Amino acid sequence: MDEDSSLNKYALMLSNRSMTVAIAESAVSSSLIVAATLGNFLVLWIVYRNRNLRTIPNQFVISLAVSDILMAGICAPPCLSVLVAGRRTFSNFVCQLQGFAIACLACVSLLTMMLVAVNRYFLIVRPQKYQRIFTPTNTKLMIVSVWILSLMEPLPYLLSGHHYEYHPGKVFCFQVLRINFYTLLGYVYVVVPLVILTACYWKVFRVLRQHKVRVRKLRSSCAFDCTSSRQVVSFEDINVTRTLFITVCGFLICWIPISIVDFIGFFQGTWALPRQVYLMYTFLGQLSTTLNPVIYGVMNKTFREEYKKMLCCCKAAESGTPRTSKSDNSQNSHPTKESKCSIV
């Protein structure tokens, strides 16, 4: 079965869905879009309103939030329109824009997480070089470079004469199934960051384990309080590293199955998996844009407190009761260290 024939069967399945299935699929997609948009806008708003949160690690968080918002705002709505209508509803221009945006924004997220891993590597493993490399200006330049590189990722594929094709199983536009140099070149943007990311975190957690053993031995050998002893790695740095690592895990949990489905299609030369698999593929991509705000809220005390403040503001606005916040005054009178104020 050729590619066109394999896609036609999914178009038929899409149009023949029951009303219950159509409503359920549309509800899942719309819920993920709303969650991604509101959650990541909340992250940006919290960083904007709190100067203490404008730290080096949080510059990467901002970049991730922007890419997730764009993914939810540009790439997901055409998918939702297809699920609602039961057929393709957008033009070829929107199709090409969607395919281009998906490739770029997924690359932004992965490359940014690679930078996060490199940042944690220098902070934990090579701390003597950290301040020199990760200055505010250098960090901004790194992030801009990631966005430029990501915008270039689809160009070889498009300039070689290829285009994105609508996939009714995935309900969005994707690159063609045929394997050649240009279709595989984009996966260099996947393999290289994953290798760097894995190597950096492996070394980081090895150092953290060694640090934990040293601290335990130091405490057990002291007959007095040893808390005044200088520690190379602070508790805040460890917490930030763990949180950032969990964001990477969340991203990979969503995107590894996506890559597996693509490779199965490439090597089979046809789209032959059940429609539910391809739809889950799309939902996993949308889910990945919603995870980071949740992870920050679960893992970080500062972010949870900001969440509660905004929730109190909303409740006060609804009830018409003026809000008094002692925490705002105490925050101004008791500044904290940058590492304690990181979202992550």
Side-chain angles (χ1 to χ4, degrees):
M1 183 182 295
D2 60 21
E3 183 177 355
D4 290 337
S5 299
S6 64
L7 291 179
N8 289 336
K9 69 177 182 180
Y10 295 112
L12 187 61
M13 292 177 188
L14 177 66
S15 62
N16 290 337
R17 295 171 303 163
S18 67
M19 181 63 68
T20 301
V21 172
I23 292 174
E25 292 174 353
S26 302
V28 171
S29 181
S30 58
S31 298
L32 292 173
I33 292 173
V34 171
T37 304
L38 294 182
N40 286 287
F41 265 120
L42 180 60
V43 170
L44 296 180
W45 173 248
I46 288 174
V47 175
Y48 170 77
R49 69 189 293 269
N50 191 334
R51 289 184 176 273
N52 292 328
L53 292 175
R54 301 175 192 177
T55 62
I56 295 296
N58 288 346
Q59 291 191 36
F60 299 118
V61 169
I62 291 171
S63 179
L64 289 172
V66 171
S67 68
D68 286 343
I69 289 171
L70 292 176
M71 184 77 83
I74 297 175
C75 306
C79 300
L80 176 59
S81 69
V82 171
L83 291 173
V84 171
R87 58 180 176 79
R88 176 174 171 173
T89 57
F90 46 84
S91 66
N92 184 61
F93 171 79
V94 174
C95 180
Q96 302 310 307
L97 175 62
Q98 184 189 46
F100 183 88
I102 289 173
C104 290
L105 295 172
C107 189
V108 167
S109 295
L110 185 56
L111 290 179
T112 301
M113 290 182 179
M114 180 196 71
L115 280 182
V116 169
V118 173
N119 173 274
R120 296 295 93 188
Y121 170 82
F122 279 100
L123 179 69
I124 305 297
V125 182
R126 297 284 185 268
Q128 66 277 10
K129 298 181 180 180
Y130 179 81
Q131 295 292 340
R132 178 164 53 88
I133 295 175
F134 285 94
T135 64
T137 300
N138 286 348
T139 302
K140 289 182 176 65
L141 290 175
M142 293 177 192
I143 292 172
V144 170
S145 298
V146 158
W147 280 83
I148 293 174
L149 283 173
S150 299
L151 289 171
M152 295 172 59
E153 189 272 343
L155 293 183
Y157 174 79
L158 294 174
L159 294 178
S160 65
H162 292 86
H163 61 279
Y164 298 107
E165 295 183 355
Y166 168 67
H167 191 302
K170 299 177 180 179
V171 298
F172 70 86
C173 292
F174 188 67
Q175 67 185 41
V176 296
L177 190 60
R178 295 176 293 277
I179 298 179
N180 55 41
F181 172 77
Y182 298 102
T183 56
L184 293 178
L185 184 61
Y187 285 94
V188 173
Y189 279 78
V190 176
V191 174
V192 173
L194 283 178
V195 170
I196 295 174
L197 188 152
T198 302
C200 287
Y201 275 118
W202 183 80
K203 292 182 179 180
V204 163
F205 283 107
R206 185 180 64 175
V207 170
L208 290 180
R209 283 195 300 270
Q210 294 171 351
H211 169 73
K212 186 177 181 179
V213 171
R214 288 196 302 269
V215 171
R216 187 183 297 115
K217 289 181 179 179
L218 179 63
R219 289 176 177 174
S220 62
S221 63
C222 289
F224 54 89
D225 185 11
C226 295
T227 56
S228 59
S229 300
R230 182 178 181 272
Q231 296 182 7
V232 177
V233 185
S234 69
F235 172 79
E236 289 79 14
D237 291 335
I238 294 174
N239 185 46
V240 168
T241 301
R242 286 175 177 169
T243 305
L244 291 171
F245 179 70
I246 290 175
T247 64
V248 174
C249 292
F251 181 84
L252 295 180
I253 287 172
C254 291
W255 284 88
I256 287 178
I258 289 174
S259 299
I260 291 174
V261 170
D262 284 341
F263 277 117
I264 290 174
F266 285 142
F267 288 109
Q268 287 183 339
T270 185
W271 302 112
L273 297 177
R275 175 181 177 270
Q276 291 79 5
V277 173
Y278 293 123
L279 192 60
M280 184 59 64
Y281 171 114
T282 301
F283 287 159
L284 282 174
Q286 294 183 357
L287 177 65
S288 69
T289 64
T290 69
L291 294 180
N292 289 348
V294 176
I295 293 172
Y296 307 149
V298 171
M299 295 291 296
N300 185 265
K301 182 179 178 181
T302 305
F303 190 78
R304 286 198 302 273
E305 290 175 350
E306 292 290 338
Y307 234 147
K308 292 176 182 177
K309 289 179 186 177
M310 297 197 72
L311 183 61
C312 290
C313 283
C314 293
K315 289 183 177 180
E318 290 177 359
S319 63
T321 305
R323 183 179 68 94
T324 58
S325 176
K326 296 181 180 179
S327 58
D328 290 342
N329 295 331
S330 62
Q331 183 179 2
N332 293 333
S333 60
H334 298 286
T336 58
K337 294 182 180 179
E338 176 178 325
S339 59
K340 291 183 179 180
C341 294
S342 296
I343 277 183
V344 285

